[in-house]
């Protein structure tokens, strides 16, 4: 089963780019990598998903190296409202070991 | 509101009692997931359904936990003989089918407190 590791917390200032890395050394061949954002007392909200290389959408980019043992979520020009916990999720539901593993999360604090 | 809804939002019960939570997914989503989240931790995957079929239940925490999705629409999660260690947030999510795994839409959760 894929185990994920993330930094516990990060601080940044408004307008800066933030990169949060997740390690998943024993990721399986069929596993996808997904990042979620969670505010207090709410369920997680999808940010971005990828399998390999780079994926970009309107809010973030996801970088996945060739060995797929880590992934980096990049948030361009953060604002105060981006203060939240960010989770990486590794998993796959198609195989016999159906499992989705969230990391323990990174508390991002954006300062003015 | 067409998002995922969960009821109740909060539940306080005494140890040994049974509790049941309900999840109503987004209507066109055929996959439904249950997670447990304790303070300071990421969500812990419990089980998931494809329509009415429960395709993974080995992650349920013990035989006191059970889930159903009888008509492929709403789902219930039951905990029998609750223990204080069951106190947590129980999250439900849904997603469209098709890919092996894709974007999940989470509900607001049910917070369980076992006294």
């Amino acid at each position: 089963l894929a185990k994920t590791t993330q930094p516990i917390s990060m601080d940044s200032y408004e307008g800066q780019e933030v990169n949060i890395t997740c390690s998943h050394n024993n990721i399986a061949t069929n596993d996808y990598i997904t990042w979620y954002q969670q505010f207090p007392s709410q369920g997680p909200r999808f940010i971005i998903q990828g399998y390999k290389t780079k994926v970009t959408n309107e809010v973030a980019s996801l970088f996945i190296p060739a060995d797929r043992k880590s992934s980096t979520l990049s948030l361009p020009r953060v604002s105060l409202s981006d203060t939240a916990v960010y989770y990486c999720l590794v998993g796959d539901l198609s195989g016999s070991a159906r499992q989705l593993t969230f990391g323990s999360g990174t508390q991002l604090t954006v300062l003015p | 509101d067409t998002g995922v809804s969960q009821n109740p939002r909060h539940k306080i019960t005494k140890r040994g009692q049974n509790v049941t939570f309900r999840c109503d997914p987004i209507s066109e989503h055929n996959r439904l997931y249950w997670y447990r989240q304790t303070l300071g931790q990421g969500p812990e995957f419990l089980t998931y359904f494809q329509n009415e079929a429960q395709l993974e239940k080995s992650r349920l925490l013990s035989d006191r936990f059970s889930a159903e999705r009888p008509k492929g629409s709403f789902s219930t999660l039951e905990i029998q003989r609750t223990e204080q260690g069951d106190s947590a947030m129980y999250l439900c999510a849904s997603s469209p089918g098709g890919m092996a795994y894709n974007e999940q839409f989470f509900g607001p959760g049910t917070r369980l407190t076992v006294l």
Side-chain angles (χ1 to χ4, degrees), chain A residues 34 36 38 87 89 98-99, chain B residues 37 42 45 55 101 103-104:
Chain A
T34 313
Y36 286 84
Q38 188 175 30
Y87 294 99
L89 168 62
R98 297 184 178 102
Q99 174 65 311
Chain B
Q37 187 173 27
F45 175 64
L55 298 185
Y101 167 64
E103 175 181 355
Q104 296 177 57

Side-chain angles (χ1 to χ4, degrees), chain A residues 1 32 34 36 38 41 43-44 46 49 87 89 91-94 96-100 102-104, chain B residues 9 31 33 35 37 40-43 45 48 55-56 59 91 99-104 106-108:
Chain A
L1 300 176
Y32 282 78
T34 313
Y36 286 84
Q38 188 175 30
S41 300
F46 174 88
Q49 182 181 78
Y87 294 99
L89 168 62
D92 168 54
L93 299 176
S94 64
S96 59
R98 297 184 178 102
Q99 174 65 311
L100 301 172
F102 273 89
S104 54
Chain B
R9 293 292 308 276
R31 288 186 176 171
Y33 313 78
Y35 293 85
Q37 187 173 27
Q41 300 297 314
F45 175 64
Y48 98 104
L55 298 185
E56 178 57 60
R59 314 300 173 183
L91 293 164
M99 286 178 58
Y101 167 64
N102 47 26
E103 175 181 355
Q104 296 177 57
F106 282 82

Side-chain angles (χ1 to χ4, degrees), chain B residues 40-58:
Chain B
Q41 300 297 314
E44 179 182 10
F45 175 64
L46 298 178
T47 186
Y48 98 104
F49 294 84
Q50 173 92 19
N51 300 311
E52 66 275 11
Q54 190 173 13
L55 298 185
E56 178 57 60
K57 57 182 179 181
S58 66

Side-chain angles (χ1 to χ4, degrees), chain B residues 17-19 36 46-47 54 57-68 77-83 86 90:
Chain B
Q17 298 295 304
N18 299 344
V19 295
R36 182 179 78 159
L46 298 178
T47 186
Q54 190 173 13
K57 57 182 179 181
S58 66
R59 314 300 173 183
L60 288 169
L61 301 165
S62 77
D63 58 6
R64 298 185 296 106
F65 288 71
S66 62
E68 292 184 341
L77 177 70
E78 181 182 16
I79 309 174
Q80 295 182 328
R81 306 180 302 281
T82 53
E83 302 172 356
D86 296 333
Y90 290 85

